[in-house]
Amino acid sequence: MTHAQGLSPQLAGNMFDVERIRAEFPILAQTVNGRPLVYLDNGATSQKPRRVIEAIRRYYESDNANVHRGLHALSERATNAYEGARDTVRTFLNAADRREIVFVRGATEGLNLIAQSWARPRLQPGDEVLITTMEHHSNIVPWQLVCRQTGAQLRVAPIHDSGELDMEAFANLVSERTRVVAVAHVSNALGTINPARQIVETAHIAGAIAVLDGAQAAAHGPVDVRALGCDFYVLSSHKCYGPTGMGVLYGRAELLEAAEPYQGGGDMIRTVSFEESTWNELPYKFEAGTPNIAGAIGLGAAVEFMTELGMDAIAAHEREVLEYATERLDELDGIRIIGTAPEKAGILSFVVEGVHPHDVGTIVDQHGVAIRAGHHCAMPLMRRYRVPATSRASLALYNTRADVDALVEGLHGVKEIFDR
Ligand code: PLP
């Protein structure tokens, strides 16, 4: 991630007041199993600040109407709010043009759209799509599908034991046959922050397009698609403090212009006859049907929230909590952290010797601590580490050292039960 080195002057000092920030999240003020809720499952989905919930409520209470079609006041307000969210996201990602911001259902839909609309008409037998061992199923299966449809080959770049991408092997796998390089900006199961700029450059030298899966990156540090130089970037709203069923596909205008529509229907057309239809301009060509208006408005509010806090400040806070969590887990006997790359986002995957991750998750839940246990939609990665699953604590901007202490207390509880 393109983390700036220092914090801006107004964010330095005490600006990142985590207790004040926590107060913005009504859901955090509850007890679970008699303990204060400690939410450490942010890699799966993040909680929503009051202003996101309010923005959605306000839209339904006072502005609800369909967008782009009506001439009445409500439709105009709904359209302005929906399109305003697009402008907010454009600024957030530093895209050159609002036409490059396509609203989709989530990172998953964004990746499928690229595979079907851009790659499918272009790939041929002998072409290659290059991914890595650490990809989420959402950045594996869409490429498998399109390879099956076109006769192209899926290639996989290996990783080191630390969870870092093997850049030498990666570079050797990129050739004139490579048409697409698709890599996670941040790994959901390891936390590794990949050297995205270098990956993009390597892809471009070979004439391939570079796709970055930003599902685990966009909420945790600054993302500048122009500085990264990528051709496509996807993110999920619900992992960025926004609502579910909403996501963003950034695509360079030139590539989006050349891509086929993804779905047909209302709004994505310019003209329709039974003989032939023509397509609307960007980004509407890819937004068939009534869109998720409330979702876009909620995402816009979430992006404003993160921007006000400052992405550098969020990254610095989470890095500090991650370092503390890593130290505390390292102190515990019988715990192995999976994913120890020096450049890591706030994700801690671990296995407890002799205990199934599902049991770890269930026991720490008794302490009010929500973590995830499973394969994290990364089965090939689990196979790479020869584990069926891991436990995963994943951080957000509202997590604290006290949350980490609660997790460690829960893990002591696990050991007490299994050491008996
Ligand atoms: N990519 C990564 C790295 C993820 O972690 C996830 C979700 O966990 C996805 C893609 C898919 O996101 P969504 O299910 O929100 O579409």
Side-chain angles (χ1 to χ4, degrees), residues 126-198:
D127 288 343
E128 292 179 359
V129 173
L130 178 60
I131 59 171
T132 81
T133 308
M134 71 177 94
E135 300 312 314
H136 186 281
H137 296 164
S138 294
N139 200 28
I140 302 173
V141 184
W143 302 115
Q144 272 175 338
L145 288 171
V146 76
C147 283
R148 205 157 69 188
Q149 288 156 345
T150 60
Q153 273 241 318
L154 188 67
R155 308 296 301 268
V156 183
I159 61 171
H160 296 294
D161 288 346
S162 62
E164 287 163 276
L165 185 58
D166 180 338
M167 287 304 288
E168 203 181 314
F170 169 80
N172 286 335
L173 280 164
V174 178
S175 73
E176 73 283 357
R177 291 186 298 279
T178 314
R179 302 294 308 275
V180 178
V181 171
V183 176
H185 194 177
V186 170
S187 154
N188 68 312
L190 301 169
T192 309
I193 302 173
N194 278 313
R197 267 256 283 281
Q198 202 184 333

Side-chain angles (χ1 to χ4, degrees), residues 43 106-108 136 138 186 188 213 215-216 236 238-239:
T108 301
H136 186 281
S138 294
V186 170
N188 68 312
D213 172 1
Q216 296 292 340
S236 282
H238 71 97
K239 296 184 199 289

Side-chain angles (χ1 to χ4, degrees), residues 323-351:
E323 274 165 22
Y324 179 68
T326 308
E327 276 167 29
R328 294 285 334 255
L329 257 64
D330 274 342
E331 284 164 16
L332 298 174
D333 286 338
I335 289 194
R336 178 162 66 104
I337 295 176
I338 305 230
T340 53
E343 288 293 315
K344 258 188 84 168
I347 286 173
L348 261 183
S349 254
F350 57 93
V351 286

Side-chain angles (χ1 to χ4, degrees), residues 97 99-100 231 250-259 282 285-286:
D97 192 324
R99 297 182 310 142
E100 300 180 317
D231 298 290
Y250 158 79
R252 281 202 301 112
E254 188 192 335
L255 298 185
L256 289 176
E257 292 282 11
L282 295 179
K285 178 171 123 182
F286 295 105

Side-chain angles (χ1 to χ4, degrees), residues 46-283:
S46 59
Q47 300 302 347
K48 319 304 170 202
R50 198 170 272 114
R51 78 159 76 178
V52 168
I53 301 166
E54 279 298 307
I56 295 168
R57 189 187 59 79
R58 211 167 36 243
Y59 163 68
Y60 279 124
E61 273 188 9
S62 55
D63 300 334
N64 178 54
N66 213 328
V67 289
H68 302 146
R69 295 168 206 180
L71 294 172
H72 57 82
L74 261 52
S75 179
E76 198 175 317
R77 291 210 296 262
T79 303
N80 288 343
Y82 180 73
E83 293 301 331
R86 197 187 311 276
D87 292 327
T88 305
V89 171
R90 187 205 69 73
T91 306
F92 181 65
L93 294 178
N94 194 31
D97 192 324
R98 68 192 312 282
R99 297 182 310 142
E100 300 180 317
I101 304 298
V102 179
F103 286 142
V104 288
R105 197 163 54 82
T108 301
E109 186 171 60
L111 291 163
N112 277 279
L113 193 159
I114 304 162
Q116 291 301 314
S117 294
W118 190 88
R120 189 176 178 178
R122 287 170 180 75
L123 292 182
Q124 293 182 352
D127 288 343
E128 292 179 359
V129 173
L130 178 60
I131 59 171
T132 81
T133 308
M134 71 177 94
E135 300 312 314
H136 186 281
H137 296 164
S138 294
N139 200 28
I140 302 173
V141 184
W143 302 115
Q144 272 175 338
L145 288 171
V146 76
C147 283
R148 205 157 69 188
Q149 288 156 345
T150 60
Q153 273 241 318
L154 188 67
R155 308 296 301 268
V156 183
I159 61 171
H160 296 294
D161 288 346
S162 62
E164 287 163 276
L165 185 58
D166 180 338
M167 287 304 288
E168 203 181 314
F170 169 80
N172 286 335
L173 280 164
V174 178
S175 73
E176 73 283 357
R177 291 186 298 279
T178 314
R179 302 294 308 275
V180 178
V181 171
V183 176
H185 194 177
V186 170
S187 154
N188 68 312
L190 301 169
T192 309
I193 302 173
N194 278 313
R197 267 256 283 281
Q198 202 184 333
I199 288 169
V200 170
E201 275 166 19
T202 310
H204 284 172
I205 289 167
I209 63 154
V211 178
L212 293 176
D213 172 1
Q216 296 292 340
H220 305 287
V223 174
D224 179 333
V225 289
R226 276 188 283 174
L228 290 166
C230 56
D231 298 290
F232 292 104
Y233 195 96
V234 300
L235 64 86
S236 282
S237 150
H238 71 97
K239 296 184 199 289
C240 296
Y241 312 103
T244 52
M246 185 65 207
V248 173
L249 164 68
Y250 158 79
R252 281 202 301 112
E254 188 192 335
L255 298 185
L256 289 176
E257 292 282 11
E260 291 295 311
Y262 182 53
Q263 294 181 330
D267 242 23
M268 54 75 69
I269 50 82
R270 192 185 306 278
T271 61
V272 175
S273 74
F274 287 118
E275 290 71 38
E276 188 184 42
S277 299
T278 58
W279 316 137
N280 202 345
E281 63 197 28
L282 295 179

